Amino acid sequence: MVKSIIYTLVAAVLCLAFFIFSEMYVGAQFEDFHEAVTVLCDKVGSERATDGDVRAVCTMWEEKKSRLHIFIPHNDISQIDYYLFEAGSYIREERYAQALAKLEAVSHMTQSLPSAYSINLENVF
């Protein structure tokens, strides 16, 4: 009986530790990516963005998304992929207004996704 209680408490503590770690990890990954997207948005807004800038942000996203698949649903990740690809196409065509709209959507997603999967009452119930 005592062993069962101890095992249950240990399992609960391990689950809680995993949830806290995953929340902090996902938040940190999106925070870094959000900063890169914000810089790209500023460059697009002033029409100074190049294909190299887009590639740098896309490369950063490729590295991060390979680890985020564990914590975030694939649909959310593919939506960011899609918007980044579209923004890159618009930048190459020098259609900065359309690129900025897509990048602002990516920026909003990088801010809202971590909280959508955090541990709070809204997400539990």
Side-chain angles (χ1 to χ4, degrees):
M1 170 102 169
V2 173
K3 281 185 180 181
S4 298
I5 293 172
I6 292 173
Y7 290 149
T8 303
L9 288 175
V10 168
V13 168
L14 288 175
C15 285
L16 183 63
F18 174 75
F19 292 138
I20 291 171
F21 164 77
S22 65
E23 187 170 334
M24 290 172 35
Y25 180 78
V26 168
Q29 296 300 308
F30 274 109
E31 187 176 316
D32 293 343
F33 183 61
H34 177 74
E35 290 174 15
V37 171
T38 301
V39 169
L40 184 58
C41 281
D42 292 341
K43 286 185 175 185
V44 169
S46 61
E47 298 185 358
R48 295 180 295 116
T50 64
D51 191 44
D53 297 327
V54 175
R55 287 184 186 177
V57 171
C58 288
T59 300
M60 180 183 196
W61 175 242
E62 289 295 324
E63 292 170 3
K64 292 193 178 296
K65 83 174 185 178
S66 66
R67 295 183 298 261
L68 287 172
H69 275 289
I70 300 168
F71 305 104
I72 303 292
H74 300 300
N75 290 342
D76 292 333
I77 289 174
S78 65
Q79 193 170 15
I80 291 174
D81 284 339
Y82 178 72
Y83 285 148
L84 277 178
F85 178 77
E86 269 193 313
S89 296
Y90 289 141
I91 289 170
R92 283 187 284 284
E93 296 171 1
E94 296 182 359
R95 295 168 55 189
Y96 295 110
Q98 291 92 343
L100 187 58
K102 296 299 178 180
L103 289 173
E104 286 175 350
V106 171
S107 177
H108 175 72
M109 290 173 71
T110 60
Q111 288 178 319
S112 64
L113 278 177
S115 63
Y117 300 104
S118 65
I119 303 169
N120 57 32
L121 289 177
E122 296 172 352
N123 295 336
V124 174
F125 296 105

